[in-house]
Amino acid sequence: MYKVQNKIKQTALTALVLILTAYSLHAEVLLIERVESKSGMSLPTKSQTMAKVQAQFGEPLSQSAPVGEPPITQWAYADFVVYFEHSHVITTVIKKSSETEIGPKAIEPASHNEETNPIDNKDN
């Protein structure tokens, strides 16, 4: 009796692993297809200046204050986020299409009253 119960548990576990594997493979294919479909979209390119990005794509929806050294700034547009080092593009990331998709975190607009550097505010 014990062997039969053990065999049933093993079969159920194997089936669950197969179902979860198939689901994750399906999700990866959808993400890949979405990225490929966006590949034709116009995006800022590496080393473009802030002025050129703004001239081509308009005013960003939000901007972060420069953080760190060298200073890194984020500009958020409807479909993508642009990351600048000093005033030049270092990368552009397409935003996630749903809350369940893993992608870049939303940025919050910088408050002009915050003059502190987050690196200097280490909790001891």
Side-chain angles (χ1 to χ4, degrees):
M1 181 72 167
Y2 176 74
K3 289 182 178 181
V4 172
Q5 288 178 340
N6 197 20
K7 190 68 169 174
I8 291 172
K9 287 179 185 178
Q10 185 179 13
T11 303
L13 182 61
T14 302
L16 180 62
V17 168
L18 289 173
I19 290 169
L20 291 175
T21 302
Y23 177 76
S24 69
L25 289 175
H26 178 68
E28 288 176 22
V29 169
L30 292 177
L31 178 59
I32 291 169
E33 288 173 355
R34 188 176 73 78
V35 170
E36 287 174 351
S37 71
K38 298 278 187 180
S39 66
M41 101 188 251
S42 178
L43 295 170
T45 57
K46 191 172 183 171
S47 77
Q48 263 188 313
T49 64
M50 287 179 165
K52 286 184 180 179
V53 171
Q54 191 167 9
Q56 184 177 357
F57 298 96
E59 190 73 26
L61 300 174
S62 64
Q63 300 177 28
S64 72
V67 176
E69 189 56 44
I72 304 296
T73 307
Q74 299 177 41
W75 285 8
Y77 288 89
D79 294 326
F80 55 89
V81 178
V82 185
Y83 294 86
F84 296 92
E85 181 178 304
H86 294 286
S87 63
H88 290 85
V89 174
I90 53 174
T91 193
T92 301
V93 178
I94 297 173
K95 287 185 177 178
K96 58 186 178 178
S97 63
S98 71
E99 290 301 318
T100 57
E101 182 179 288
I102 298 172
K105 292 182 180 178
I107 61 172
E108 296 179 16
S111 170
H112 295 292
N113 296 334
E114 295 178 12
E115 296 285 333
T116 59
N117 185 340
I119 296 172
D120 295 336
N121 293 333
K122 294 181 183 173
D123 293 330
N124 291 329

